Amino acid sequence: MIYNTYFQRFFTFMTNTFKNLIPFIIIFMPSHVSAKWYEHTFNTMGTRSHVEFWLNADKDKSVNTGTNEKAAHLIGQVVAEMKRLDQSMSPYIDSSELSLLNRDGGTKEVSVSKELFSLLLEAENISVMSKGAFDITYASIGYKYNYREKIRPPQAVIDMALPLINYHGITLNGTKSTVKFVNSAIKIDLGGIAKGYAIKRCINILKSQGVKFALVSAGGDTSLLGDRNGRPWLVGIKHPRAEEKNAVHIPLENEAISTSGDYERYFIEDGKRYHHIINPKTGDSARKVVSVSVIGKDATVVDALSTTVFVKGLDDGMAFINTMPEYEAIIIDNNQRLHFSKGLQQ
Ligand code: AMP
Ligand code: MG
């Protein structure tokens, strides 16, 4: 008992004394220890990607021989993984698995990789959960828009093609890992979920090689491993109408956050904003809100949910997120007011 009390006092004394010195200890660490942050920004999946991680040369023997080489190797793996997924899931690459599926899915059962099949299943789950607000067959009309060229399909074309937007039109055969569309005019696109999946894969690559603190982002999707070495990461949510500004900063650790905004790809015609998030019920851009961020552990689901809540809008979207305790949302409405889901309100 006495020993315990003395020990506790000693411990408290030591902790209080050294607490304030810790920052200096880190600052004056000998240079050969070389624990530090590494980062790299690159273009992939049609967007800007970023990777950032901490390598502690002291604790991880495998990096003592050359932390820089290990960092370069890790960065190389992250870039390669993003590129691999782009090659398989991009609608802009004719040889991608996705393009081949869109070409043949309406006429025959197409064999796809286990990876693409799993992602299609995840997309289908979110479609069911969201009652069709998230629907990868949105592309049956979505591909008729060209935001850079300010082209949109005429209303008559939208009316004709609208029945094609229906996730029930995709048959997934798990035993054979094949996919079939009920109609050859059905097209699918994974733009609302693939980046989340990609950053999740990259974080897992870093984690499997001993990294404890990391951030990987692709466009508006970010996944975090641990904290920022003792402090939370501060993730900015873009101001929807002021390009260089953030509307809010959120402290996070070990979470993923995805933002869907109507400012990412759009054009304005007769005062109306046509942008890349399509309401499957209308074939037109979703216009109930201007930005939605979703926070949760699973980067793939978080990515799909941000698109989903954007389509659903403030009331339905918030009610939907509030039924899922493991996910939170921050919505910016058309008057640029911020709204927080239940778990973020304190
Ligand atoms: P995000 O930025 O994650 O919201 O994703 C937007 C992307 O999701 C768009 O560029 C499209 O590729 C895709 N998308 C648009 N509308 C939908 C929808 N209703 N369901 C699923 N994906 C969609
Ligand atoms: Mg998303």
Side-chain angles (χ1 to χ4, degrees), residues 262-276:
D262 68 358
Y263 49 85
E264 289 287 350
R265 264 182 290 147
Y266 72 97
F267 63 91
I268 292 179
E269 191 186 301
D270 298 331
K272 214 169 174 187
R273 184 179 286 251
Y274 294 91
H275 66 88
H276 67 313

Side-chain angles (χ1 to χ4, degrees), residues 226-297:
D227 57 19
R228 207 177 190 283
N229 205 1
R231 284 174 294 158
W233 295 91
L234 262 194
V235 182
I237 294 178
K238 273 192 189 167
H239 191 294
R241 295 293 178 264
E243 230 173 77
E244 296 306 320
K245 274 199 204 159
N246 282 320
V248 61
H249 285 93
I250 314 286
L252 291 174
E253 45 190 76
N254 255 325
E255 302 262 8
I257 176 166
S258 280
T259 299
S260 296
D262 68 358
Y263 49 85
E264 289 287 350
R265 264 182 290 147
Y266 72 97
F267 63 91
I268 292 179
E269 191 186 301
D270 298 331
K272 214 169 174 187
R273 184 179 286 251
Y274 294 91
H275 66 88
H276 67 313
I277 302 171
I278 302 293
N279 182 346
K281 286 202 181 113
T282 62
D284 189 8
S285 302
R287 294 197 188 82
K288 290 180 185 160
V289 292
V290 297
S291 164
V292 172
S293 302
V294 171
I295 300 167
K297 295 281 178 218

Side-chain angles (χ1 to χ4, degrees), residues 114-178:
K114 288 264 177 291
E115 182 173 50
L116 178 58
F117 192 87
S118 304
L119 199 59
L120 293 173
L121 262 186
E122 282 209 62
E124 186 184 63
N125 282 340
I126 311 266
S127 294
V128 175
M129 272 166 55
S130 68
K131 299 200 172 75
F134 185 85
D135 191 330
I136 57 172
T137 63
Y138 91 89
S140 312
I141 291 178
Y143 285 166
K144 298 180 195 298
Y145 286 85
N146 184 330
Y147 302 98
R148 205 171 289 163
E149 306 284 329
K150 303 189 177 181
I151 293 169
R152 64 187 179 90
Q155 192 56 46
V157 171
I158 293 182
D159 292 343
M160 284 248 296
L162 203 52
L164 300 170
I165 303 187
N166 183 352
Y167 62 94
H168 290 111
I170 310 172
T171 308
L172 300 174
N173 184 325
T175 329
K176 295 198 278 181
S177 194
T178 59

Side-chain angles (χ1 to χ4, degrees), residues 33-337:
V33 172
S34 74
K36 62 176 186 177
W37 289 102
Y38 291 86
E39 60 180 300
H40 182 60
T41 302
F42 56 106
N43 289 328
T44 184
M45 299 187 110
T47 188
R48 205 106 176 105
S49 291
H50 182 75
V51 53
E52 196 172 328
F53 54 86
W54 173 266
L55 272 193
N56 192 342
D58 233 1
K59 291 196 181 118
D60 181 352
K61 277 216 166 69
S62 66
V63 300
N64 276 342
T65 48
T67 311
N68 284 327
E69 280 119 88
K70 168 98 177 184
H73 177 67
L74 289 171
I75 288 169
Q77 281 186 296
V78 165
V79 173
E81 182 62 2
M82 292 271 201
K83 291 213 164 124
R84 182 185 74 78
L85 291 168
D86 193 33
Q87 288 297 318
S88 121
M89 296 179 186
S90 168
Y92 305 108
I93 299 173
D94 289 344
S95 59
S96 74
E97 264 205 289
L98 181 100
S99 296
L100 298 178
L101 179 55
N102 273 333
R103 192 190 67 190
D104 299 336
T107 49
K108 60 179 187 204
E109 267 186 50
V110 179
S111 288
V112 298
S113 63
K114 288 264 177 291
E115 182 173 50
L116 178 58
F117 192 87
S118 304
L119 199 59
L120 293 173
L121 262 186
E122 282 209 62
E124 186 184 63
N125 282 340
I126 311 266
S127 294
V128 175
M129 272 166 55
S130 68
K131 299 200 172 75
F134 185 85
D135 191 330
I136 57 172
T137 63
Y138 91 89
S140 312
I141 291 178
Y143 285 166
K144 298 180 195 298
Y145 286 85
N146 184 330
Y147 302 98
R148 205 171 289 163
E149 306 284 329
K150 303 189 177 181
I151 293 169
R152 64 187 179 90
Q155 192 56 46
V157 171
I158 293 182
D159 292 343
M160 284 248 296
L162 203 52
L164 300 170
I165 303 187
N166 183 352
Y167 62 94
H168 290 111
I170 310 172
T171 308
L172 300 174
N173 184 325
T175 329
K176 295 198 278 181
S177 194
T178 59
V179 186
K180 174 94 176 67
F181 302 159
V182 291
N183 184 317
S184 58
I186 290 180
K187 302 288 170 237
I188 60 165
D189 181 80
L190 296 169
I193 190 168
K195 290 200 292 300
Y197 174 70
I199 57 174
K200 177 170 149 179
R201 292 269 319 175
C202 292
I203 284 287
N204 285 341
I205 287 173
L206 296 174
K207 196 174 168 182
S208 70
Q209 293 181 54
V211 174
K212 299 275 188 301
F213 313 106
L215 174 154
V216 180
S217 71
D221 305 298
T222 302
S223 189
L224 306 168
L225 174 62
D227 57 19
R228 207 177 190 283
N229 205 1
R231 284 174 294 158
W233 295 91
L234 262 194
V235 182
I237 294 178
K238 273 192 189 167
H239 191 294
R241 295 293 178 264
E243 230 173 77
E244 296 306 320
K245 274 199 204 159
N246 282 320
V248 61
H249 285 93
I250 314 286
L252 291 174
E253 45 190 76
N254 255 325
E255 302 262 8
I257 176 166
S258 280
T259 299
S260 296
D262 68 358
Y263 49 85
E264 289 287 350
R265 264 182 290 147
Y266 72 97
F267 63 91
I268 292 179
E269 191 186 301
D270 298 331
K272 214 169 174 187
R273 184 179 286 251
Y274 294 91
H275 66 88
H276 67 313
I277 302 171
I278 302 293
N279 182 346
K281 286 202 181 113
T282 62
D284 189 8
S285 302
R287 294 197 188 82
K288 290 180 185 160
V289 292
V290 297
S291 164
V292 172
S293 302
V294 171
I295 300 167
K297 295 281 178 218
D298 187 321
T300 314
V301 177
V302 162
D303 184 10
L305 288 182
S306 69
T307 315
T308 306
V309 174
F310 193 103
V311 171
K312 283 185 170 288
L314 180 58
D315 294 342
D316 280 6
M318 207 52 114
F320 176 67
I321 281 292
N322 282 334
T323 63
M324 292 182 278
E326 64 279 32
Y327 296 97
E328 301 296 338
I330 298 153
I331 300 181
I332 307 181
D333 68 19
N334 286 325
N335 299 314
Q336 290 174 41
R337 272 195 298 262

